[in-house]
Amino acid sequence: MHSAARLLSFAACLLAAQAAPGQGASSSIPDRSYYSAIELIYRGDYRRAQRAFADELRGSVKTVDSRWVDSICYHALQGEALYQQGLYGPALDEMNRACSLLMVYPKWLLSAQFRQQPRPDNNPGRRAAPWGPSQRQPVYASLPDTVLIAQGDLNSAQRAAQQGGVVQSAQFWRVDAVEVLRAAALAIRRRNEMLGPLGPHDRLSKELADVLGRGGLAPPNHWSGAWTELLTGLAQEGVGDAQLALPHLTRATLLDGRYDHRLTGAALLEQGRIAMNSGAGRAAAGLLLEALTAAYAFEDVDVMCEAVSLGRLNHIAMGAEGPYPPLAPVIALAESERLEHLEVVARLALAEDLLAAGAPQRAAPALGRIASSRSDWVQGRLGPRLPAVRSMLELTAGKPREANDSLARAVAGQAAVSLRTFQIGQAVARYRAGEISPRLAADVFADLLRDPTAADWSSDPLDAVALLKSAEADAFDSWFDAALQRDDELLAITVSDLTKRRRFFAAQPYGGRLLALRRLLGPSDRLLTAAQQTQRQALLTKLPELVEMNKNAAAIHRDLRNDPGVFAAGGPTSDADRMLRDFARLADGREAALRRAVLARQATDLAFPPARSANEAQDLLTPGQALMVIHETRTGLFGFLLASEGYHTWRLPPRRDLENRIGAALQAMGNFGASREMKQEEAESSEWRRQCDALAKLLVQDARLDLNKTTELVIVPDGPLWHAPWEALPVGDVGGEQTLIDLTPVRYAPTIGLALGDTTPLRPVRKTAVVLPPDGGARADAEQIARQWDRLGGAVREPVRLSAPAPAPTPLLASLIDQAVIRVPSEIDPSQPYAWPPMAIDRTPAIGRLEAWMALPANGPQRLVISGLHTAAGDGLKSSGSRRGDPPPTGRELFHASCGMLASGARTMLVSRWNTGGPTQLDLEREFLLTLPDSPADQAWRRAVTLARGATLDPYAEPRLKPDAKRLDAPTASHPFFWGGFLLIDTGLDPRPQPEQAPEQDPEAEAAAKP
């Protein structure tokens, strides 16, 4: 009985093997059309290739339950076509399907009939690579293109005879087994790349590593086991076990311990990648060159592309000079064989290497025909590389406007095809779906959202810039949520600050990269860390023209600071004007040079704003100091109170409720517009107190803030709380009469890193600019302006008077002064906060924008009073949005404005949110300035407020207080409309001499003496 069943089964198999073409062994799989579709990828025709592989899939071999192993090829190569288009989501789906099929048939190779042992190729010379011979002295294997493989159940007839049922006969197919394995390896490798740090936590990745790691995928002790070792090694790499992967990859290199084969290049590629990532540059160089050579021998263009790209990156990381040597012969090969994909990879790399080597005249020709290509790669993952190279060529050619446009296109394009951006999106989706636990998510987001490292800048500066240009709000919110879910409140505070830093970077040209480069050229390298000093020297070595320009700029800056003709009443003297023009040219020249370094493989620390963890902040807090951090996420607002002895977290009401309550408080204080006058009875009303009391209950009732023990309150606001009148909040115990500023000094900072830890002494005040509105020609106006000058000029050191039109661009003038009092009216457009002009007296408004203050020469005034600014708070939050499009979140404009001013050199800023413009405000500013040199800024401001609140208002002198002729008495300035409109943004430096503190130094002499 058993013998008959076996005979029946064998007969069925024979019949299957003799089936009609396309149904059995008489045709091979994959068929020729599949290989033609692969050629489309190599020729850069990704979309046609994608459609072709979809057609192949429709004609694939199917079983009762699923597709068969040939579909691994179709899914993997369709995924590759999508991958090259930068469509990573659909590409990952296809790679997942390929790997899932591999898990259905992990041991499919056991069914193969190997009828020939590997033998040496009789004509190895045809495989000689144009870039030179292999150092491994390979022996190339010669094997049949296909093997016969049974698909189905060989024992189906036997079981049907014993148990009944339908006979599901096995079929024999001629299969290109190596191609199936190559496609499976490609699918695993691309999954590893697309998942990145998510791989160790991915279900399918772990299943691949587990199943393939058990072995038994090929016949025992058979030479074909080398092929399956490649899959096992790749799977181990995917879950982060690179060292466990290495033995498998090593065994995958040779068949039967002797022969190179079609997968040798892929095995060497991964060994080279692991060596490169571990810092073994010399070993990586050899392995990657051998991978390129082995891939050429077996016409594996995919591995050739990867090997030449990684080999070049390793070449750069090792500090080798000149272009990567194989690039030129690879280009010649690709051009002759019409392999446009490979040609694009190599030409873009060669052009960039030539630019880095200082040979721009050779870089443009290196682009060759791809410069005008219209192939699919232009819109794919390689596409942004072309405008990036063009931008560098245009900068070298002295075309800054064209270069800026090209670089903007490159950065925007890279943001759309960045693998890291895709991984961040995947992490967010998986965390929200519950696929990643809060414990794991915190580690994953920490990796994905970190600042670019030196290795990141070296390997892909364009991608690093593109990442920094994205605020990644959803990802930071998820990281924040994960920290709270695991009850790690200190981590949540840290994440809140990293979120704000990234928000700032995303609003900067090139993601803060240019700002970081500018800071390396600061006037004093004493302010740089050891790592930053090394970066500065590397920058000056790369751009030697900066050495002379820096020296000349420092000398002119010193002369301008000492020349009274700069601020002469009738305008700058001729000598001063000449120096100002030279100074401006040097600033423009240095800016142009730095733009050439934006995409250079030059490491730069993102030193501003400084990154500071909650643990570090807690260590910096002294007894009595309290740090209140507000953080807004998509799920709401959170509050944190941090002190040296502990911390506390609470949840704030929804944004809309807070905005309404803050708006009500501001309106009760008299804020209905920039010109609205307050009646005298309003100035004596306590309605503001009732509204502020209601607001205080929302904000601090759950904060556990013990003001009896608080000697200083530092607030890091977010969202609408930038406009909250914190100092006016009734928080005392005696009948609600005391406000917050009665009980403790208060200051603000946009980030934790800018709130604490500032120990660098201020430079001496050698010049203070008092910036006043023009008098308008009327006598009353002239007298008022003269009074302002007398009161303020007498309160500061070395005053100089400025008014419109400025004698030179205000960003240049700002670098010549140490302190500024700016009383010129201005407003911040919430949609363009960096377009705000801090002084607002330039002949052309665009010249004096905040973004220009942040550019070289930078190093502006360290202490400022900006009392002419009007914000949404002055309108009671009634018009807090932009006039263009959807309004940004209320308060963000003050965040960006304060960050921008601090980036330009400020350390203390007293900034108005509304302007009362009368003698009370003038006295507030004067008293603050008088005390500031010898007192912490928040103590100086608290003293000024205390003095002002006790003064009697003059209704006829206060422009925003409506006089009442029927009344003989006048109200006092206790109403917060007259003192509560200011924000004191301050880094916390105490100017009083500290024990063992180095004496203050003027950095100019130091800068002039150094390159």
Side-chain angles (χ1 to χ4, degrees), residues 424-442:
I424 290 170
Q426 283 284 302
V428 171
R430 294 179 184 214
Y431 173 68
R432 291 181 179 175
E435 297 175 20
I436 306 177
S437 69
R439 180 181 64 82
L440 293 176

Side-chain angles (χ1 to χ4, degrees), residues 17-78:
Q18 297 169 5
Q23 298 299 318
S26 60
S27 64
S28 63
I29 53 174
D31 61 18
R32 289 183 179 180
S33 59
Y34 165 83
Y35 296 99
S36 297
I38 290 178
E39 289 294 316
L40 291 175
I41 292 181
Y42 296 162
R43 302 197 191 290
D45 200 345
Y46 309 137
R47 288 178 292 180
R48 280 183 62 201
Q50 177 192 340
R51 293 193 295 269
F53 290 121
D55 289 341
E56 293 294 314
L57 190 62
R58 282 190 283 271
S60 63
V61 178
K62 300 176 181 65
T63 69
V64 174
D65 300 319
S66 69
R67 299 180 186 275
W68 195 46
V69 294
D70 62 317
S71 290
I72 292 174
C73 299
Y74 313 139
H75 283 303
L77 271 297
Q78 188 173 357

Side-chain angles (χ1 to χ4, degrees), residues 64 133 142 169 224 242 247 272 289 342 371 382 548 577 585 648 653 695 743 760 802 842 852 922 956 962 998:
V64 174
S142 176
S169 300
S224 62
L289 185 58
L342 177 60
L382 295 174
E548 190 66 21
D577 184 67
R585 278 193 291 271
H648 171 61
L695 178 60
L743 299 176
T760 305
L802 287 174
D842 286 277
L922 190 63
Y956 294 93
K962 190 173 184 177

Side-chain angles (χ1 to χ4, degrees), residues 49 152 162 209 227 267 315 347 350 366 373 413 468 503 522 529 569 691 753-754 777 853-854 880 906 913 992 1004:
Q162 291 176 334
W227 293 338
H315 178 80
R347 283 193 180 278
L350 180 60
S373 174
L468 291 172
R503 186 189 301 160
T529 65
Q691 293 291 348
L754 292 169
W853 280 53
M854 297 167 65
S880 59
R913 290 173 292 189
R992 296 171 297 192
E1004 292 172 16

